[in-house]
């Protein structure tokens, strides 16, 4: 579904991604871990071209995103993204946050989108918050709304960029629960996170990105119990 | 003392009542209001266009955007770096040389072009104050750059810059008085005209000052009301 070939990204003379070749199939839940500054967020942000790669290719559903002719806006409609800092639209109500894109992009009428918003809010456990503004909600609630907003576009894949890193500890769980449910429903997911428990439980594959390359990848059990790469062993000993 | 008050009262009476002089102020006021209104509209339109060009140029690689950005920079530098009265003289004599030009158009265009440069910088600062995550969130949903700008970034930017924008409009209303130099019969010009009839210039200018003050107070109140309304999404 998503294929990256020798993906490279350079900021100035600093190489962040040094050639990542990955194939993410439909239904996979790929969890990306790694030390900060390793390039894992950059890798994720390249997948929907929020960050423009300086080299290599990204192919999503047969469309080459790195081709300058590609209409990225259309492609992004099929790729949901959840950010570390939620990035909800503060001047819009929760319902407007969710319905804005589907209506503006003429995927749905306002009525259809409203119905969809109600359904999604029920799904993330916040059915009574439709008319609240994001500023009135807790971080955990905001992140659940952000997930609902991304789901409103019926994406084929969901990208999560450290979705729980900005949350107070007691709110991490409520967001992870939603993500687990999403995984069980068969959504294709790419998740950058520091939640090792989530990786172990939900991932179909775990990637360890270090210094711009995938230093190790494996199924979660093998990954956490028999790490091969020395840096990964060191990293795991610090975070587990 | 009483003599003096009587004298002052008489001169204000002379500046207001005989020959229906109050009508002169009213027609001047009407002209000033019309010019201010259209100047604000022109200023906002120019301001938004220039500000979006300036902001877009930071990330865009398109050649045309770079060229437009260059033009925008020159415009802002020249307008902000020269006195408005000089700009008015140049624009008036350069463009509006036909004897039957509409004074409202002349005034509004001159003041609007001037105000646009200031409004552009205010809006640019407002857009820059919005976290990049807002643009990224919009784009990640598949919205185009223009859609995200229009529906997400600009409304938030406007909310943040409302006080600064209010100040700009208040000074714009006051500065329209400068166009009296190009024979536009605005409030300032009409006050001078009354003074030339009564041979007593201070009372009509004091009256004009009072009318300007009422206009700016009204604007201050209006901006405050809008700010309050826009604050409804803030944390309660």
């Amino acid at each position: 579904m998503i294929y990256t070939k020798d993906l490279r990204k350079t900021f100035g003379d600093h190489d962040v991604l040094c050639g990542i070749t990955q194939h993410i199939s439909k239904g996979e839940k790929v969890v990306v871990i790694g030390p900060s500054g390793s390039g894992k967020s950059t890798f994720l942000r390249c997948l929907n071209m929020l960050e423009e790669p300086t080299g290599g290719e990204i192919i999503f559903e047969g469309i080459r995103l790195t081709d300058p002719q590609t209409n990225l806006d259309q492609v992004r409609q099929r790729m949901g993204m959840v950010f570390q800092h939620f990035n909800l639209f503060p001047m819009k109500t929760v319902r407007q946050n969710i319905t804005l894109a589907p209506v503006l992009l003429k995927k749905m009428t306002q009525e259809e989108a409203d119905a969809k918003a109600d359904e999604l809010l029920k799904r993330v456990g916040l059915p009574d918050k439709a008319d609240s503004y994001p500023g009135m909600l807790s971080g955990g609630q905001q992140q659940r709304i952000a997930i609902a907003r991304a789901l409103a576009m019926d994406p084929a894949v969901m990208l999560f960029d450290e979705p729980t890193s900005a949350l107070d500890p007691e709110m991490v769980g409520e967001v992870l629960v939603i993500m687990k449910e999403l995984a069980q429903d068969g959504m294709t997911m790419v998740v950058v996170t520091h939640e090792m428990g989530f990786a172990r439980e939900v991932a179909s594959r775990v990637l360890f990105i270090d210094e711009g390359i995938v230093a190790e990848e494996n199924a979660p059990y093998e990954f956490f119990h028999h790490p091969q790469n020395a840096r990964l062993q060191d990293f795991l000993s610090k975070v587990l | 003392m009483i003599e003096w008050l009587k004298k002052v009262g008489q001169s204000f009476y002379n500046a207001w009542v005989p020959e229906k002089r109050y009508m002169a102020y009213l027609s001047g006021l009407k002209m000033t209001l019309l010019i201010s209104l259209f100047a604000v509209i022109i200023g906002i339109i120019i301001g938004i266009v220039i500000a979006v060009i300036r902001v877009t140029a930071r990330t865009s690689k398109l050649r045309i955007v770079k060229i437009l950005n260059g033009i925008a920079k020159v415009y802002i530098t020249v307008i902000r770096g020269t006195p408005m009265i000089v700009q008015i003289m140049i624009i008036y004599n350069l463009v509006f040389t036909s004897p039957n030009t509409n004074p409202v158009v002349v005034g509004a265009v001159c003041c609007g072009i001037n105000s646009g440069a200031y409004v552009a910088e205010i809006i640019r600062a407002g857009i820059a104050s919005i976290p990049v995550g807002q643009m990224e969130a919009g784009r990640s949903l598949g919205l185009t750059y223009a859609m995200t700008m229009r529906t997400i970034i600009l409304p938030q930017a406007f909310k943040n810059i409302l006080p600064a924008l209010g100040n700009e409009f208040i000074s714009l209303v006051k500065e329209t008085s400068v166009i009296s130099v190009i024979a536009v019969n605005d409030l300032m010009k009409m006050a001078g005209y009354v003074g030339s009839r009564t041979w007593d210039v201070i009372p009509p200018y004091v009256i004009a000052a009072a009318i300007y003050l009422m206009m700016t107070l009204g604007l201050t109140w209006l901006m405050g009301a809008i700010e309050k309304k826009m604050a409804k999404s803030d944390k309660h």
Side-chain angles (χ1 to χ4, degrees):
Chain A
M1 169 177 265
I2 306 180
Y3 178 62
T4 72
K5 187 177 157 199
D6 195 29
L7 191 63
R8 284 166 191 279
K9 174 71 184 180
T10 310
F11 289 109
D13 54 1
H14 177 55
D15 296 327
V16 182
L17 297 181
C18 311
I20 292 186
T21 301
Q22 277 293 322
H23 192 104
I24 297 160
S25 335
K26 192 165 161 43
E28 254 198 307
K29 294 100 186 61
V30 177
V31 172
V32 184
I33 65 169
S36 59
S38 60
K40 55 190 190 308
S41 277
T42 307
F43 170 67
L44 188 82
R45 288 161 55 82
C46 279
L47 293 183
N48 70 349
M49 297 290 282
L50 274 188
E51 213 73 72
E52 210 178 313
T54 34
E57 282 186 357
I58 303 166
I59 294 158
F60 170 66
E61 293 184 323
I63 302 163
R64 194 136 55 107
L65 307 195
T66 35
D67 182 344
Q69 304 298 318
T70 302
N71 183 339
L72 288 176
D73 298 317
Q74 260 166 31
V75 174
R76 290 195 186 113
Q77 295 184 28
R78 312 254 314 132
M79 305 174 102
M81 186 156 195
V82 176
F83 299 86
Q84 182 175 357
H85 296 287
F86 333 131
N87 298 348
L88 292 178
F89 308 133
M91 285 180 76
K92 309 216 175 280
T93 63
V94 164
R95 181 183 283 119
Q96 289 166 340
N97 263 278
I98 298 172
T99 60
L100 179 89
V103 173
L104 210 55
L105 296 167
K106 300 194 164 52
K107 259 179 81 92
M108 300 175 198
T109 65
Q110 186 66 50
E111 290 73 33
E112 287 166 352
D114 284 341
K116 175 106 187 169
D118 286 336
E119 177 203 317
L120 284 168
L121 284 173
K122 218 173 279 170
R123 191 162 158 193
V124 299
L126 297 166
D128 52 341
K129 297 294 184 194
D131 297 312
S132 305
Y133 285 94
M136 307 169 187
L137 305 177
S138 72
Q141 290 173 328
Q142 290 196 43
Q143 194 60 299
R144 283 145 73 191
I145 303 292
I147 294 173
R149 177 177 69 178
L151 289 174
M153 291 299 291
D154 281 323
V157 55
M158 285 283 283
L159 311 174
F160 291 85
D161 188 5
E162 303 200 24
T164 57
S165 296
L167 297 177
D168 289 338
E170 77 268 24
M171 292 171 184
V172 170
E174 61 188 72
V175 172
L176 291 182
V177 166
I178 305 290
M179 291 169 64
K180 278 176 202 165
E181 285 172 6
L182 201 55
Q184 278 156 16
D185 292 346
M187 175 63 77
T188 310
M189 293 162 71
V190 185
V191 184
V192 172
T193 187
H194 294 292
E195 295 295 327
M196 299 301 152
F198 178 82
R200 228 177 293 186
E201 209 178 315
V202 178
S204 50
R205 188 153 55 104
V206 188
L207 308 184
F208 176 64
I209 292 190
D210 185 45
E211 293 184 335
I213 55 161
V214 176
E216 181 152 346
E217 61 176 303
N218 219 328
Y221 185 85
E222 283 298 307
F223 185 91
F224 286 107
H225 291 272
H226 305 292
Q228 306 297 316
N229 181 285
R231 301 265 312 187
L232 174 59
Q233 289 166 356
D234 182 48
F235 179 73
L236 288 178
S237 72
K238 281 178 190 152
V239 295
L240 288 180
Chain B
M1 183 67 192
I2 291 180
E3 270 309 297
W4 181 79
L5 276 179
K6 258 189 184 160
K7 220 177 113 196
V8 170
Q10 183 62 43
S11 47
F12 272 93
Y13 177 84
N14 284 344
W16 187 254
V17 180
E19 299 176 21
K20 288 192 176 169
R21 283 180 185 141
Y22 49 87
M23 289 308 290
Y25 300 104
L26 285 184
S27 77
L29 171 64
K30 191 177 136 203
M31 186 65 81
T32 292
L33 283 176
L34 277 174
I35 290 171
S36 301
L37 177 67
F38 289 114
V40 164
I41 293 170
I42 293 172
I44 290 180
I45 292 170
I46 294 179
I48 292 177
V49 171
I50 299 279
V52 169
I53 290 171
R54 302 271 284 123
V55 170
T56 308
R58 277 191 316 199
T59 50
S60 175
K61 292 193 197 81
L62 289 176
R63 185 105 181 271
I64 180 79
V65 177
K66 296 278 177 215
I67 294 169
L68 288 173
N69 186 38
I71 296 171
K73 268 188 191 162
V74 170
Y75 162 73
I76 289 172
T77 309
V78 170
I79 294 294
R80 294 208 304 180
T82 56
M84 178 153 143
I85 192 161
V86 179
Q87 295 161 17
I88 287 174
M89 285 303 191
I90 292 173
I91 295 172
Y92 178 63
N93 288 297
L94 197 70
V95 187
F96 298 106
T97 41
S98 156
N100 51 3
T101 45
N102 183 334
V104 175
V105 175
V106 181
V109 168
C110 288
C111 295
I113 288 177
N114 178 275
S115 180
Y118 294 92
V119 173
E121 286 298 277
I122 294 172
I123 295 178
R124 187 167 74 95
I127 294 173
S129 74
I130 306 303
V132 296
Q134 292 289 309
M135 177 55 85
E136 289 183 346
R139 300 306 301 277
S140 79
L141 288 164
L143 302 179
T144 64
Y145 180 87
M147 280 175 182
T148 314
M149 207 32 126
R150 204 182 63 234
T151 59
I152 295 162
I153 308 293
L154 284 179
Q156 289 182 64
F158 266 112
K159 185 180 158 189
N160 287 357
I161 62 177
L162 218 50
L165 220 44
N167 279 343
E168 168 55 26
F169 294 153
I170 286 167
S171 54
L172 174 60
V173 169
K174 292 184 294 179
E175 284 185 6
T176 56
S177 60
V178 174
I179 53 160
S180 56
V181 299
I182 51 170
V184 174
N185 291 326
D186 73 327
L187 181 55
M188 179 68 187
K189 183 87 177 175
M190 294 316 273
Y193 160 77
V194 171
S196 71
R197 295 294 299 258
T198 58
W199 294 93
D200 187 3
V201 292
I202 292 178
Y205 284 132
V206 172
I207 290 171
I211 298 176
Y212 277 115
L213 187 61
M214 279 190 281
M215 279 193 278
T216 53
L217 284 179
L219 256 181
T220 309
W221 173 84
L222 181 69
M223 298 308 287
I226 297 174
E227 258 177 70
K228 215 177 259 173
K229 192 166 182 287
M230 304 257 309
K232 72 177 191 308
S233 64
D234 287 349
K235 210 167 193 158
H236 299 225

